[in-house]
Amino acid sequence: MSLGYAEKLSYKGMSEPSGCPRFSTRPLSCSRRFGVEELALLIKKQTLVVFTGAGISTSCGIPDFRGPKGIWTLQREGKDLPKASLPFHRAMPSLTHMALVELERAGILKFLISQNVDSLHLRSGIPREKLAELHGNSFREICPSCGLEYIRDFEIETIGMKETSRYCSDSKCGAKLIDTVLDWEDALPPKEMNAAEKHCKIADVVLCLGTSLQITPACNLPLKSIRGGGKVVIVNLQPTPKDKKATLVIHGFVDKVIAGLMKSLNLQIPPYVRIDLIQLALSQSPKRNLYVCWTLRISSIHGQKAPLPFIKSVEVSFPDRPDLKTALLDEQPFSLRRKTKARSFNIMLKFNLIEGCGCPFIIIEWAVDFQVSSKSFDSDEDLIIQNLRASAIEDRSCGQHATVKRRSLLRSELRVDAMVTNILKHDISEEDSKASSPDATPCDNGSTVKRGGEGVNGGQSSPKRPKKP
């Protein structure tokens, strides 16, 4: 989790929230066998539910709490915390996040339960209706009156189900929105919890990825599968209190295990393509002597005061008007006011993107004609985003953009553009070769495997689930 999120949590319960036994944060000794084939056999043609924790996001640059370099681990050891942590809005889905997307598309993954608040599952492409976010989402607001949800591209400023500065956009409602991230004293949301419990009860396999399984009551959800004849599989760097109940336990890096799993299932991991929406508005006020005073505003689709986390600055130039000086807008909200002759010209907008985006800038041109009002239109946003994503994957680069809608009003024009700001591909060949090679030396994959009935992490195998009629 990000340091910002950890700092927002109330101090209560931070030292050891669940009261479960504390395990060593040192990775276990390594084994040449990886357990991937066993895992692949377990989930084939089964009802699979996945339960995720902070460990699947550490490779995205987001530190966890209890891992070897986790926030609470370093605090207990008296070590300094990192001076800077990757903000949630800059994090990109990991290999594991994108693999889960492919498993869902292939019909293998039926439901996903997450304890994370980083929104990376939604950002990766997991359908909202197949996702339960038990502890909330730092990018999601909800209307407590009508229940509408709002997914933002910036991190909500509060946690603990508090009111935010925004309101429900439904004309029949208009209530003040609240954040969805839980603090220690907050109960799990019934809607998310009920869906998670329902799917765990009917799952043939619950696969736990990157979670210490120490936060109650969430940590007990996977065990509900066992009561119905299902199995629990745990993949985590350190041992968990639930290892004895699991059919298969793999102590290793989640990305390496999942890379091997996808290779065994003969499935490809889709690339992650980030697409952001931006609103451009131009208003004019006619003056005497054929002059016009106009104002350009560049803002978030979530409101004039909402931040644009992926834009560092905007350069505004006028290619066919050498008499107009180029302007650099480096403070949000971005706006530019000018007085010019009332004749058409082109505006070139160079959006300089923040560090971590796949390209340094994106250029959009806008033809302005004060005499002729352009037509309004609404394009199919989903189709445009789908086409932009396909184009980015084919070109192996970002920077593509398209206008989603345009509104022409009296003395003003507004448009919304979609921009491909990042693309990330995950190559499983290197990860898999390290994980599954029979000639690998000890510690090449950093994992140990334990199966039900073996050693202290053993336990009785689950009874077989009765065949469905």
Side-chain angles (χ1 to χ4, degrees):
M1 294 297 114
S2 78
L3 294 177
Y5 165 61
E7 290 170 353
K8 291 176 186 176
L9 287 168
S10 62
Y11 185 78
K12 176 184 177 181
M14 271 197 176
S15 59
E16 208 63 64
S18 68
C20 292
R22 183 184 301 171
F23 289 98
S24 169
T25 56
R26 181 177 60 84
L28 298 180
S29 58
C30 303
S31 168
R32 296 184 182 185
R33 297 201 61 186
F34 205 52
V36 172
E37 294 299 331
E38 294 95 322
L39 177 57
L41 289 173
L42 280 174
I43 69 174
K44 282 182 178 179
K45 298 181 181 180
Q46 301 291 312
T47 301
L48 175 67
V49 170
V50 172
F51 184 87
T52 66
I56 74 164
S57 297
T58 53
S59 62
C60 307
I62 300 176
D64 59 11
F65 287 119
R66 297 182 182 82
K69 296 182 181 180
I71 294 171
W72 294 339
T73 302
L74 295 177
Q75 285 178 337
R76 283 197 298 265
E77 295 175 354
K79 297 180 180 179
D80 292 335
L81 298 182
K83 292 183 178 180
S85 181
L86 183 72
F88 279 171
H89 68 262
R90 282 180 52 190
M92 293 187 291
S94 66
L95 179 151
T96 297
H97 286 100
M98 298 311 301
L100 294 177
V101 171
E102 182 62 24
L103 289 173
E104 188 277 325
R105 291 174 182 171
I108 297 172
L109 174 61
K110 305 301 182 183
F111 199 75
L112 176 59
I113 305 165
S114 179
Q115 302 168 98
N116 299 339
V117 300
D118 52 30
S119 198
L120 289 178
H121 283 307
L122 280 180
R123 203 175 294 172
S124 69
I126 290 291
R128 177 67 179 97
E129 64 273 12
K130 293 188 177 182
L131 173 65
E133 295 180 307
L134 300 181
H135 297 159
N137 184 325
S138 289
F139 295 81
R140 177 161 55 91
E141 293 176 289
I142 191 171
C143 177
S145 179
C146 69
L148 277 179
E149 291 187 349
Y150 298 83
I151 306 299
R152 310 300 191 184
D153 55 10
F154 57 90
E155 191 173 354
I156 309 303
E157 59 271 22
T158 62
I159 70 168
M161 312 293 287
K162 297 182 182 68
E163 289 185 347
T164 67
S165 59
R166 290 161 291 278
Y167 295 84
C168 181
S169 60
D170 190 329
S171 59
K172 297 180 181 179
C173 182
K176 203 159 190 178
L177 302 179
I178 61 174
D179 71 76
T180 60
V181 177
L182 306 187
D183 207 339
W184 289 118
E185 64 272 14
D186 297 317
L188 295 182
K191 180 180 177 182
E192 310 290 321
M193 189 66 174
N194 291 341
E197 186 172 4
K198 169 189 170 185
H199 284 88
C200 282
K201 286 181 177 179
I202 63 175
D204 294 311
V205 178
V206 176
L207 174 59
C208 303
L209 300 175
T211 170
S212 63
L213 293 171
Q214 293 190 54
I215 297 292
T216 57
C219 67
N220 294 318
L221 283 171
L223 304 185
K224 295 184 181 295
S225 171
I226 298 177
R227 298 173 187 173
K231 297 178 175 64
V232 172
V233 177
I234 299 173
V235 180
N236 195 51
L237 196 57
Q238 284 79 41
T240 81
K242 311 299 182 185
D243 286 1
K244 292 182 180 181
K245 302 283 187 179
T247 299
L248 177 65
V249 177
I250 303 175
H251 291 305
F253 293 98
V254 176
D255 281 351
K256 291 185 177 182
V257 176
I258 297 303
L261 173 65
M262 298 299 283
K263 186 71 175 293
S264 295
L265 295 175
N266 197 28
L267 293 175
Q268 297 296 317
I269 298 179
Y272 164 65
V273 179
R274 172 161 178 158
I275 297 178
D276 288 289
L277 297 175
I278 190 169
Q279 181 172 281
L280 311 175
L282 187 73
S283 59
Q284 58 171 302
S285 177
K287 300 293 182 181
R288 295 180 181 179
N289 302 325
L290 301 179
Y291 278 84
V292 61
C293 186
W294 53 265
T295 302
L296 170 68
R297 291 186 176 86
I298 302 169
S299 61
S300 167
I301 61 171
H302 304 293
Q304 291 285 341
K305 296 182 180 180
L308 289 165
F310 56 95
I311 296 179
K312 181 168 55 178
S313 63
V314 182
E315 296 178 43
V316 186
S317 59
F318 310 88
D320 55 351
R321 292 288 300 273
D323 56 312
L324 298 180
K325 293 182 179 180
T326 297
L328 175 64
L329 312 179
D330 56 5
E331 290 187 10
Q332 298 192 33
F334 301 118
S335 66
L336 176 66
R337 185 177 176 85
R338 288 284 177 90
K339 180 181 178 181
T340 63
K341 289 184 178 180
R343 60 185 178 87
S344 61
F345 59 87
N346 291 325
I347 298 179
M348 180 179 290
L349 302 170
K350 181 181 179 182
F351 296 92
N352 297 310
L353 305 183
I354 63 171
E355 181 183 356
C357 286
C359 46
F361 60 84
I362 294 176
I363 293 178
I364 293 180
E365 294 191 30
W366 191 358
V368 176
D369 191 338
F370 296 110
Q371 307 301 321
V372 180
S373 177
S374 59
K375 294 181 179 180
S376 299
F377 65 84
D378 269 310
S379 300
D380 187 331
E381 181 177 320
D382 292 337
L383 180 60
I384 284 184
I385 289 177
Q386 179 181 343
N387 291 337
L388 284 175
R389 182 173 285 110
S391 176
I393 294 173
E394 182 178 354
D395 296 343
R396 298 178 178 271
S397 63
C398 66
Q400 299 82 356
H401 58 86
T403 302
V404 175
K405 68 178 179 181
R406 176 175 290 173
R407 289 281 183 274
S408 293
L409 306 173
L410 181 64
R411 297 181 180 176
S412 67
E413 184 175 342
L414 181 147
R415 57 186 275 185
V416 173
D417 280 55
M419 305 189 302
V420 179
T421 55
N422 218 334
I423 181 169
L424 177 66
K425 296 180 176 64
H426 296 284
D427 185 6
I428 66 174
S429 59
E430 182 178 353
E431 295 281 356
D432 181 62
S433 64
K434 293 179 182 179
S436 59
S437 172
D439 299 323
T441 57
C443 295
D444 274 357
N445 54 56
S447 68
T448 61
V449 180
K450 291 189 181 294
R451 301 163 184 82
E454 291 185 6
V456 295
N457 286 338
Q460 298 300 315
S461 300
S462 304
K464 293 184 178 179
R465 180 182 298 278
K467 292 184 177 180
K468 298 180 180 65

